[in-house]
Amino acid sequence: MQPLYEGKAKRLYTTQDQDVLRIVYKDEATAFNGEKKAEFAGKGELNNRLTSHFFEVLAAAGIPTHFIEQTSEREQLVRRVTIIPLEVVVRNVVAGSLSKRLGIEEGTVLETPIVEFYYKDDSLGDPLVTPAHINLLKIATTEELSLLEQEANRVNDVLRPYFDEKGITLIDFKLEYGKTPAGEILLADEISPDTCRLWDKETGEHLDKDVFRRNIGSLIDTYQTLFNRLGGNGQ
Ligand code: C5P
């Protein structure tokens, strides 16, 4: 069957139910807008299991998500949504592009979390956008934007203590939201070490895709370590 959509890390297929899609997680890792690429046997399975688990944790906390169920090692069923072309980034600690853009040292703890919006457009390199830009591009209304910000903060309020209990600091992460045909906004896409920065609380060890971006360790060993730290089944 032809995928409905193929992204850098996942393929999306339709199902017999028009409101439900099947996601297949791929073993490919990319960084720097696809400039750096590699395959890691087992990555798809780890990210599928981790994402499924995080979406279950969020659902249990009352956060509406597209996730229905994990159906196999690398597959899950989700509700069909139209993705809002924004990357919603939440930051608790300075790292990555925030450190570069503002010249603040990585590891500086933010007094309050920061939510940023990036326009999902590979040809533009996913630029940081302000509410005025989002309005100009007619991506979301002011009300929708404040809902996204509020919802992203709620996700942080659930995941930050969840990781903290496991001895891991949730440095930052990226979320994507989608709209159902009825207009309901749901958390979509994935939450995985591809889309989060996670540092060991004691040692500062990176437990995320920065090991691949920065060539500082084995991606699979790192994702497996994270998986084991979360209880072996992400539990
Ligand atoms: O690169 P930057 O510091 O802006 O990334 C912030 C967070 O968003 C990181 O956790 C990173 O993994 C995630 N991110 C992502 N996909 C992107 C850009 C950033 O998952 N295209």
Side-chain angles (χ1 to χ4, degrees):
M1 211 171 34
Q2 281 295 101
L4 174 72
Y5 173 80
E6 176 152 5
K8 297 185 190 95
K10 301 182 286 296
R11 282 188 207 95
L12 261 67
Y13 296 87
T14 51
T15 65
Q16 274 155 345
D17 183 339
Q18 61 170 13
D19 295 328
V20 175
L21 296 180
R22 183 165 61 94
I23 297 187
V24 181
Y25 279 72
K26 305 198 289 185
D27 281 341
E28 201 161 83
T30 65
F32 314 119
N33 201 9
E35 272 171 45
K36 183 172 176 176
K37 258 192 215 167
E39 284 242 338
F40 297 97
K43 172 179 179 282
E45 186 181 329
L46 283 162
N47 274 0
N48 181 38
R49 295 175 81 162
L50 286 163
T51 291
S52 297
H53 174 61
F54 297 144
F55 276 120
E56 278 164 2
V57 168
L58 292 171
I63 292 177
T65 85
H66 74 157
F67 181 75
I68 300 172
E69 61 173 335
Q70 187 190 328
T71 48
S72 76
E73 282 174 353
R74 43 177 79 233
E75 296 181 351
Q76 51 182 255
L77 294 178
V78 300
R79 286 176 65 189
R80 186 176 191 149
V81 293
T82 304
I83 293 289
I84 298 168
L86 289 175
E87 296 192 337
V88 184
V89 170
V90 183
R91 301 178 183 274
N92 296 310
V93 177
V94 175
S97 71
L98 180 63
S99 166
K100 286 211 184 78
R101 182 173 293 113
L102 301 185
I104 305 171
E105 204 183 331
E106 278 207 322
T108 307
V109 178
L110 296 165
E111 262 176 46
T112 49
I114 290 178
V115 178
E116 299 171 335
F117 298 101
Y118 293 82
Y119 179 32
K120 255 173 81 72
D121 184 319
D122 282 344
S123 68
L124 297 174
D126 299 340
L128 179 70
V129 281
T130 66
H133 299 153
I134 293 167
N135 196 267
L136 171 71
L137 293 165
K138 299 196 181 344
I139 295 171
T141 65
T142 308
E143 292 73 30
E144 285 170 343
L145 206 58
S146 62
L147 178 79
L148 293 182
E149 185 168 354
Q150 200 181 307
E151 285 296 301
N153 275 315
R154 266 178 86 197
V155 171
N156 192 36
D157 290 343
V158 175
L159 292 185
R160 197 179 186 182
Y162 164 88
F163 282 112
D164 188 71
E165 254 179 39
K166 276 126 182 138
I168 296 168
T169 307
L170 177 57
I171 303 294
D172 57 29
F173 57 96
K174 183 263 306 181
L175 302 173
E176 294 187 23
Y177 286 86
K179 248 189 209 179
T180 65
E184 191 187 355
I185 291 182
L186 299 178
L187 179 64
D189 194 54
E190 70 177 277
I191 301 178
S192 72
D194 274 11
T195 65
C196 301
R197 282 197 177 92
L198 301 162
W199 294 359
D200 181 277
K201 255 163 74 176
E202 299 297 321
T203 65
E205 183 192 358
H206 293 249
L207 299 168
D208 56 61
K209 198 165 83 173
D210 273 348
V211 296
F212 169 66
R213 295 189 188 100
R214 301 179 184 189
N215 292 318
I216 52 173
S218 148
L219 180 140
I220 286 296
D221 290 354
T222 301
Y223 285 23
Q224 189 67 55
T225 300
L226 175 68
F227 186 74
N228 297 343
R229 290 266 304 256
L230 300 182
N233 194 21
Q235 303 307 311

